[in-house]
Amino acid sequence: MKEVLFMTVAVVGVGYTDFRSTTPDVSFKEQMFEAAAKAYQDAGVHPRKDIGSFITGAEDYWEGYSIFDEFVPDQLGATLRPVCTISGDGLQALLTGAMQVKTGLMDVVAVESHSAASDLLSFHGIVSHGLDPVYNRNMNVNPFFVAGLEMRKYLSETKASREQCARVVTKNKLNAMDNPLAAYPAVMSIEEVMKSEMVSNPLTRRDISPLADGAIVMVLASEKKAKELSENPIWLKGMSWISETPWLESRDWSDATYARLSSEKAFKMADITNPQKQLDLVEVDDWFSYKELQHLEAIGVCEKGQAGKLLEQGQFDRDGDTPVNVSGGRLGAGNLLEASSLQSVLECVIQLRGHAGKRQIKGAHTAAAQSWRGVPTATGSMLVLSNEK
Amino acid sequence: MSEKMKEVPGIYLRDAELKAEDAITFKWRPNAKYAWSGGIAYSRYLAELKNGRIIGRACRECGRILVPPRMFCDTCFRATDEWVYVKDTGTINTYSVSYLDADANRIKEPILVAVIDLDGASEGIGILHYVDPKVDPKDLHIGMKLKAVWKPEKERIGSVTDIAYFEPLKEG
């Protein structure tokens, strides 16, 4: 693949709903409209004349609609305009938008992702549908067994402890206390996490991020447009996305290889040679508690087997050397399904703008958002952002 | 096919062979259940149907009255402004006569469906519904005037089917 050395695409607007455990009062369309209207206002653009293309990151099965892209134009201001849905997470949609801008096809692109998780009556049934129909589905086990298998292998190889995993939960829920958007802030004890019901040993109920509803929209712009539109554009410096083999029978259960490879590529583009020193904050996927530790090692913030210890020493706290999931992540802000990766990007943008209020990381100018699509996938992305071009 | 392969080798499996388990098969019943939040627009529309009325939303900028109602205008990209009742009479925009049911079974009595521009809504905006099955399909035409036939109040549940069907509007 030809190396693209310089990214010249910026986030110039963000809009979002708050994240809630349930939203019986609004439809997903009404949530999307709220987020879109705020993002366009933030960017100073009108979708009917200023935005060239609209991209959503969504999965038909989460929505309960076939051909879901047909159900998005109205509430984004996108009717009679180029629209597409990326069947992936919000970060993959954002990267698609960045490519449309980078190639010169579009000057301004809107990217959306949302979660209507509370509309799902059979969340586990939908996840099970992602298993191989011939070899895996007929075992009739709750699909979180995949996380149990992975957590076991990760803990065994790294000698990380269940207590360290529990500490990820308490840290992220505590971080969420200062994120007004978060659905699940809490001051929770490590003991409470450790003593929660076993789901798929060693994974407990509290190791699993709780589902939430919400919508996020971002406006991307070319360098020229970004400078016209925004006083504080946040530049995309490096990006990549990787899928591993889908086989449960023969994947690497210990390392998050998708995270390692996507971060290597994205960091090369962004000229990040020492992530621990150069990244002022990191948002990594924490669908399950152990995933945060595994992802931090995979992206090179620390050596394999060190994340648990460094967590205990406070290095990943908000006031630590590398603050991790200051937003609260999926565990604290809520599991927004495909939209959680955009939630990670959103936190980076808010921090790099210096707008994070009580949870602001002082002097932050480079941040990374890493995503994973959840069980049973081995797919993830990485995006590096900076407030300096 | 190709130069080398003039026909597909092997035999096609027939339905009877699959059912007789001559072939190895796997069955899976997807568990995909949803309960969509109605939100503001759906909820009001359905509640009003239960009341025997059809309601839309008006956008002051473009002046259109949207049915079914939406809380945002897709043309102007702004919040719509007010609730407006429209009439339960209208004009056929387009129609079709279906000889298959939802499971693709051939049916003797065809189902008549039409998009009906409602009086009081903006041009080209209305409701998708049945036409009275007693109507001879040959008599259907674009531009035909229709009126809603509502189910009795006790049978209405807050659904588009609270209107049984639309029947030709009797003149006078």
Side-chain angles (χ1 to χ4, degrees), chain A residues 121-330:
Chain A
L121 297 183
S122 59
F123 170 76
H124 296 274
I126 301 294
V127 177
S128 290
H129 213 63
L131 295 167
D132 184 282
V134 175
Y135 295 131
N136 303 142
R137 277 188 210 169
N138 51 12
M139 290 182 71
N140 198 25
V141 188
N142 179 282
F144 283 164
F145 80 88
V146 178
L149 293 169
E150 188 180 50
M151 184 174 180
R152 168 86 58 205
K153 184 76 170 183
Y154 172 76
L155 295 185
S156 166
E157 284 230 338
T158 59
K159 307 300 174 207
S161 65
R162 274 193 55 216
E163 189 172 345
Q164 288 167 341
C165 295
R167 192 173 286 271
V168 172
V169 181
T170 60
K171 170 181 71 72
N172 291 359
K173 284 187 170 292
L174 189 67
N175 281 347
M177 293 290 284
D178 285 328
N179 181 354
L181 303 178
Y184 299 100
V187 180
M188 189 177 280
S189 70
I190 286 172
E191 192 185 13
E192 185 173 343
V193 181
M194 301 277 289
K195 284 193 171 166
S196 63
E197 307 94 299
M198 202 50 85
V199 171
S200 189
N201 197 324
L203 189 78
T204 70
R205 183 167 75 89
R206 293 289 187 199
D207 287 307
I208 303 169
S209 55
L211 298 172
D213 294 353
I216 300 170
V217 172
M218 299 204 174
V219 181
L220 305 179
S222 64
E223 183 176 5
K224 183 168 175 289
K225 274 282 174 189
K227 285 176 176 168
E228 283 171 29
L229 289 168
S230 182
E231 286 172 8
N232 52 7
I234 303 302
W235 301 95
L236 311 186
K237 304 292 281 186
M239 60 189 200
S240 181
W241 62 102
I242 295 283
S243 287
E244 291 182 49
T245 169
W247 292 101
L248 297 179
E249 291 81 353
S250 56
R251 66 168 57 164
D252 185 337
W253 286 97
S254 166
D255 298 316
T257 309
Y258 55 88
R260 179 171 60 79
L261 295 177
S262 57
S263 60
E264 280 172 5
K265 286 171 185 285
F267 290 170
K268 191 172 182 188
M269 284 171 73
D271 209 16
I272 303 279
T273 51
N274 184 338
Q276 194 267 324
K277 274 198 172 149
Q278 289 172 270
L279 297 175
D280 300 308
L281 67 137
V282 178
E283 293 275 314
V284 296
D285 190 279
D286 61 339
W287 189 309
F288 306 103
S289 60
Y290 72 92
K291 291 301 279 185
E292 175 169 310
L293 302 176
Q294 186 194 38
H295 285 146
L296 285 170
E297 292 167 3
I299 70 173
V301 164
C302 60
E303 296 290 323
K304 187 170 177 182
Q306 296 302 305
K309 286 173 209 150
L310 294 170
L311 175 79
E312 282 179 328
Q313 291 163 16
Q315 180 158 331
F316 306 136
D317 289 351
R318 204 164 77 191
D319 58 358
D321 288 349
T322 305
V324 176
N325 287 333
V326 177
S327 68
R330 286 194 201 254

Side-chain angles (χ1 to χ4, degrees), chain B residues 44-80:
Chain B
R44 180 74 190 269
Y45 187 58
L46 297 177
E48 290 291 356
L49 286 170
K50 200 174 176 194
N51 292 334
R53 294 185 292 208
I54 302 172
I55 201 163
R57 285 284 290 184
C59 172
R60 278 190 202 134
E61 192 157 301
C62 65
R64 291 188 309 156
I65 292 169
L66 304 171
V67 183
R70 277 145 268 177
M71 301 316 292
F72 39 80
C73 175
D74 59 302
T75 301
C76 307
F77 192 74
R78 59 188 292 281
T80 49

Side-chain angles (χ1 to χ4, degrees), chain A residues 23-27 30 33 40 46-48 61 63-65 75-77 79 119-122 125-126 129 134 137, chain B residues 26-28 30-43 61 70-79:
Chain A
T23 50
D25 50 333
V26 280
S27 66
E30 289 156 4
F33 177 71
Y40 304 156
H46 196 287
R48 307 302 291 152
Y61 254 108
E63 309 295 339
Y65 289 69
Q75 60 271 28
L76 294 177
T79 50
D119 290 349
L120 283 169
L121 297 183
S122 59
I126 301 294
H129 213 63
V134 175
R137 277 188 210 169
Chain B
F26 293 89
K27 282 185 184 162
W28 172 261
N31 182 11
K33 296 190 186 116
Y34 307 86
W36 293 287
S37 295
I40 305 164
Y42 274 111
S43 300
E61 192 157 301
R70 277 145 268 177
M71 301 316 292
F72 39 80
C73 175
D74 59 302
T75 301
C76 307
F77 192 74
R78 59 188 292 281

